Amino acid sequence: MHRHIVNRPEHAAEEALEGLALTHPQLLAYDRAAGIVTRAQRAREKVGLVSGGGSGHEPLHAGFVGAGMLDVAVPGALFASPTALQVHTGTVAADSGRGVIQIVKNYTGDVLNFQIAGELAEDDAIKTEVVLVDDDLATDGEDDGPGRRGTAAVLAVEKICGAAAEAGADLVDVADLGRRVASSARTLSLALTAGTHPGAEEPAFVLPDGEVELGVGIHGERGRGRIPFADADTLIAQLVDPVVAALGLHPGSAVIAIVNGLGGTSPLDLSVAARSVHHRLGDLGVTIERSLVGSYVTSLDMHGISVTLLPADADLLPLWDAPVRTPALTW
C-alpha cells in the first residue's frame, strides 16, 4: 500500500492548511469553518486578489497568500472545486472597497463556482473581475471540450497581478494585466510516475518501464501520449520545444521561465532540469530574463516536471521583481 503521512485521508487537506497556518502565524490565518485562508493582517485600500481550486496542488494557492500576491485562498477538497458559497466568502474577505480579482484555473467546476460567487458578490455591491488561466499546451486545440487547462502559469498571474495591486493599480488595470499574462504563457508537463491519493493503494496511472507520460495534467490526468525515457536534456527538449513553437519565440526573444516540480520530484532533479532548460533555450537563441525553480503547482506526489514560459518585457519584469512575502515565495 502507498503510504502518506495523514491521520484520516478525508481530513488531509484541512489538517495541512491548519499546519501551514500554525507554521506561519505572522502571514496566514485559516478559517476552517469558512474554508478560506487569509492574510494574518488584512490589506486595505487595494484591489483584492482571491484564487482557489482543489487541494493536492500545494503550495498552491494557500502558500501564495501574503504581501505581493493573494489576499485570500479558497481551497477545495482533494482535486475538487471549492463551493460557490466558499468562494463568495473568500471574495467578500478579499474586498477592501476597491473590488476583487478572481484568478481561476480553467476547470469546469472552478469556473462555474467562481462565476456564481462573483454574481453573489455583485449583489453585495462588490465589483469583481475574472482572470481565467488556461496555459496547458497539452490540451490546446480540444475544441469540443472546456479548452486548455490551467496549470503552473497561475503562479505568474498571481505574482504579477499581486504586485500591480500592491502598487495601487485599479481593478480593471489589474484584470487586464492578468489576462495578458495568462494569454501569453504556455506550459507543458511530463511524469515519470503518477501521484497517489491519500488512502488509495494505486497511483492514478501506471507507466511501463522505459516510458514517460507527456502532457499530464495536475489532477493525475493522463498525458496526450508516451515517449521513451531518456536523459534530462532529451526529456526537457520535448517540453521546451513545443512551448517555444506555440509562443512563436525566436532568436532574441526573452522569457520568464518556471521549472516546476509536480510533487514527487527531488531538488536535485529540478536543478538538473533547470540546467537543461537554460541550455536548450540558449541553443534556440531565447534569453531567460528571470527563472523560478521549485515545486509550486503540484499533483500530490507525482514524480514529474512542467516548464512554463512567459514572454518577458519591460512592463512585466519590474512586477515580477517586486517584493513578495508568502510562505512559498519570498524575495
Side-chain angles (χ1 to χ4, degrees):
M1 179 177 179
H2 192 93
R3 296 187 291 182
H4 289 270
I5 300 173
V6 297
N7 292 307
R8 296 174 60 180
E10 65 271 27
H11 293 162
E14 290 89 348
E15 291 185 356
L17 290 167
E18 185 179 347
L20 183 70
L22 289 170
T23 305
H24 301 280
Q26 74 282 18
L27 296 178
L28 301 180
Y30 174 43
D31 184 335
R32 186 166 181 166
I36 63 173
V37 177
T38 65
R39 297 187 188 190
Q41 301 296 323
R42 307 286 180 93
R44 296 300 175 198
E45 302 301 323
K46 64 177 279 297
V47 169
L49 266 65
V50 60
S51 190
S55 296
H57 310 299
E58 292 69 23
L60 186 78
H61 293 276
F64 300 134
V65 172
M69 287 189 81
L70 298 177
D71 293 276
V72 176
V74 187
L78 284 175
F79 293 170
S81 172
T83 69
L85 290 178
Q86 196 181 343
V87 178
H88 173 239
T89 301
T91 302
V92 172
D95 182 53
S96 64
R98 296 191 60 189
V100 177
I101 304 290
Q102 297 179 325
I103 300 172
V104 187
K105 301 189 302 301
N106 189 29
Y107 296 98
T108 302
D110 289 352
V111 172
L112 177 62
N113 288 335
F114 271 85
Q115 179 183 355
I116 295 170
E119 293 169 355
L120 294 172
E122 295 285 347
D123 291 342
D124 297 330
I126 298 173
K127 293 185 180 301
T128 61
E129 293 276 353
V130 173
V131 175
L132 186 69
V133 182
D134 57 349
D135 56 306
D136 183 16
L137 191 58
T139 45
D140 203 357
E142 294 184 357
D143 295 334
D144 57 345
R148 290 187 302 268
R149 299 175 294 215
T151 54
V154 71
L155 166 62
V157 173
E158 292 177 3
K159 173 66 188 76
I160 290 170
C161 285
E166 215 77 49
D170 66 24
L171 183 68
V172 172
D173 286 346
V174 177
D176 287 346
L177 178 66
R179 292 175 188 130
R180 177 182 150 208
V181 172
S183 66
S184 60
R186 292 292 181 273
T187 298
L188 192 58
S189 311
L190 63 79
L192 308 183
T193 60
T196 304
H197 278 246
E201 296 189 5
E202 299 293 336
F205 57 85
V206 177
L207 279 166
D209 290 343
E211 292 190 350
V212 172
E213 193 85 5
L214 179 66
V216 294
I218 58 172
H219 299 95
E221 302 101 324
R222 300 291 298 271
R224 66 185 185 187
R226 290 178 177 174
I227 58 176
F229 179 67
D231 60 45
D233 289 346
T234 302
L235 291 176
I236 292 302
Q238 296 185 70
L239 296 182
V240 168
D241 290 6
V243 175
V244 166
L247 294 176
L249 300 176
H250 51 77
S253 295
V255 297
I256 295 171
I258 301 173
V259 180
N260 174 61
L262 293 176
T265 312
S266 72
L268 186 146
D269 282 7
L270 288 171
S271 291
V272 171
R275 171 189 177 277
S276 297
V277 170
H278 275 259
H279 284 295
R280 184 59 185 166
L281 288 174
D283 291 343
L284 298 173
V286 176
T287 301
I288 298 180
E289 290 288 347
R290 303 288 188 275
S291 61
L292 186 64
V293 181
S295 294
Y296 297 104
V297 183
T298 62
S299 180
L300 290 171
D301 54 358
M302 179 182 282
H303 186 191
I305 198 163
S306 67
V307 174
T308 300
L309 300 180
L310 168 65
D313 59 36
D315 294 334
L316 295 187
L317 289 176
L319 295 169
W320 181 264
D321 292 340
V324 58
R325 188 169 185 232
T326 72
L329 201 65
T330 294
W331 59 65

